[in-house]
Amino acid sequence: MEYVALSNGVKMPMLGYGVYQVPADECERCVSDALKAGYRSIDTAQSYFNEEGVGRAVAKSGIDRKELFLTSKVWVEFYGYEAAKKSVLKTLEKLQTDYIDLMLLHQPFADYFGAYRALEDLYDEGKIRAIGISNFYADRMVDMASFCRIKPMVNQVETHPFNQQAELKKWAGKYHIQVEAWAPFGEGRGNMFTNPILTEIGKKYNKTAAQVILRWHIQSGVVVIPKSTHIERMRENIDVFDFKLSEQDMAQIAALDKQTSSFFSHRDPNMVEWFAKMVEERKHQHDSSKEKKNW
Ligand SMILES: NC(=O)c1ccc[n+]([C@@H]2O[C@H](COP(=O)([O-])OP(=O)(O)OC[C@H]3O[C@@H](n4cnc5c(N)ncnc54)[C@H](OP(=O)(O)O)[C@@H]3O)[C@@H](O)[C@H]2O)c1
């Protein structure tokens, strides 16, 4: 495993396992498989409704807590200082841990400054080892970095070969904010797993397109958290530390950039409305103590 030192010195694995869209009733099995495959960093979120499954797998694994790196994210419904603080304490309970390695604000909507102040205070109290943001485009990221007390250490954003985020990476570097890729494969959109350039590059190293993509991210200094519910793919996705892409390979992958999201823009007012509606719809799910179906 390779690690990166965040701006506060905390060591973060360059590769972890993401559990978005892993159903609550499958999450414990998936995270157990990932831990068996060698993953030590797990990325979940309050809004994935599967933090409890992560917690159970971690508890049953017997792995020393210090070897693990657990990330979760505060959902928009819990923004504002008091609600965010309470929600993080609940996440700690669900994950069955005394501290979270990285806590992010999931979206740049509603009272995110209030929520961020809660993260800062929990960081001071030692309940969170690193704090950050997610889906903050360069302008929101610089806003946050400029007006907060403790600068975000990580920004988790959509990035993959078809949306390389050169501008955001440049600004993140200026503020010592580590970029972490969500959907490092773009969830396979645009036939990424069978892209001829990526598969041709892979043939030289006896690697798949998926492995080339992850290696490209890591060599670009980006942390990755690929998701798979299949143990053989989990093994494939972590097996990326025994080869190195050449400068020419890197240049060929750079040329695949379409400079646009494969999903949606957080700046699109229609999407902001969609998020606001989703926050309302999920309220009853979070009210329940039982894990619910994923979204
Ligand atoms: N902050 C945010 O707003 C946000 C948003 C989205 C995601 N995330 C985080 O980022 C993580 C990763 O993103 P993601 O899950 O959206 O997408 P992703 O990791 O880019 O892609 C996952 C998809 O690729 C398939 N896959 C995985 N490995 C493969 C391989 N080696 N060969 C072929 N197919 C493979 C998976 O299928 P199977 O599962 O069937 O194997 C799944 O359909 C999430 O789990 C979550 O932790 C965060």
Side-chain angles (χ1 to χ4, degrees):
M1 181 56 60
E2 292 173 20
Y3 294 84
V4 63
L6 301 179
S7 59
N8 63 345
V10 163
K11 265 175 65 186
M12 178 175 189
M14 288 298 292
L15 186 144
Y17 176 66
V19 296
Y20 172 46
Q21 298 182 116
V22 175
D25 55 4
E26 262 198 81
C27 190
E28 180 183 334
R29 192 272 300 165
C30 286
V31 174
S32 298
D33 282 354
L35 294 171
K36 273 184 221 137
Y39 292 77
R40 290 296 178 266
S41 167
I42 311 291
D43 180 271
T44 182
Q46 293 170 349
S47 71
Y48 300 170
F49 298 103
N50 58 18
E51 287 174 309
E52 277 136 321
V54 174
R56 282 195 299 274
V58 164
K60 287 184 188 166
S61 73
I63 296 169
D64 187 346
R65 176 68 184 85
K66 287 199 281 297
E67 278 185 41
L68 296 165
F69 191 98
L70 302 181
T71 300
S72 192
K73 312 181 194 84
V74 182
W75 181 238
V76 182
E77 182 187 340
F78 308 117
Y79 278 12
Y81 184 86
E82 290 300 337
K85 208 164 185 188
K86 247 172 82 181
S87 81
V88 175
L89 298 179
K90 208 156 197 176
T91 286
L92 283 169
E93 253 175 58
K94 289 183 177 175
L95 293 176
Q96 303 188 38
T97 182
D98 298 332
Y99 66 88
I100 297 166
D101 295 277
L102 175 64
M103 197 76 197
L104 306 173
L105 296 186
H106 207 146
Q107 302 289 348
F109 306 129
D111 183 9
Y112 52 81
F113 268 98
Y116 194 79
R117 279 192 288 277
L119 296 192
E120 290 175 326
D121 286 358
L122 289 162
Y123 174 78
D124 287 341
E125 290 169 30
K127 290 202 159 43
I128 307 175
R129 293 178 67 228
I131 58 179
I133 50 185
S134 177
N135 295 304
F136 280 54
Y137 290 0
D139 56 331
R140 291 300 93 218
M141 177 176 71
V142 174
D143 174 28
M144 180 59 90
S146 304
F147 294 105
C148 64
R149 181 166 63 83
I150 303 170
K151 284 195 190 8
M153 289 134 204
V154 172
N155 190 6
Q156 186 183 111
V157 293
E158 177 203 338
T159 181
H160 44 75
F162 299 156
N163 183 22
Q164 300 190 13
Q165 300 269 25
E167 181 73 3
L168 179 123
K169 287 173 181 170
K170 189 186 83 191
W171 284 101
K174 180 171 178 186
Y175 288 88
H176 307 290
I177 297 169
Q178 175 62 42
V179 176
E180 181 176 25
W182 69 248
F185 303 131
E187 291 181 4
R189 291 181 186 208
N191 297 321
M192 202 179 296
F193 293 118
T194 51
N195 178 278
I197 305 269
L198 298 170
T199 44
E200 273 310 304
I201 292 173
K203 276 184 196 157
K204 292 196 286 179
Y205 307 98
N206 206 13
K207 294 285 177 184
T208 62
Q211 291 169 317
V212 168
I213 294 164
L214 296 174
R215 187 68 218 168
W216 166 77
H217 280 294
I218 292 167
Q219 275 183 224
S220 310
V222 172
V223 169
V224 285
I225 42 167
K227 170 261 178 187
S228 175
T229 53
H230 301 94
I231 190 157
E232 62 283 6
R233 285 182 178 166
M234 294 178 197
R235 292 203 182 102
E236 176 186 332
N237 294 345
I238 200 174
D239 183 18
V240 295
F241 296 102
D242 61 350
F243 75 113
K244 205 166 176 287
L245 298 171
S246 68
E247 269 179 41
Q248 198 199 346
D249 301 330
M250 295 294 279
Q252 274 187 289
I253 299 172
L256 296 177
D257 194 5
K258 297 181 170 54
Q259 299 186 31
T260 188
S261 169
S262 297
F263 298 85
F264 54 81
S265 166
H266 282 71
R267 289 211 192 94
D268 176 354
N270 292 302
M271 285 317 301
V272 182
E273 282 189 349
W274 180 80
F275 268 102
K277 201 164 151 248
M278 181 167 62
V279 170
E280 274 311 305
E281 283 169 1
R282 286 201 196 157
K283 273 185 180 162
H284 71 280
Q285 285 187 268
H286 283 291
D287 286 344
S288 161
S289 58
K290 281 179 70 192
E291 284 185 349
K292 286 277 178 66
K293 213 174 141 281
N294 214 330
W295 56 285

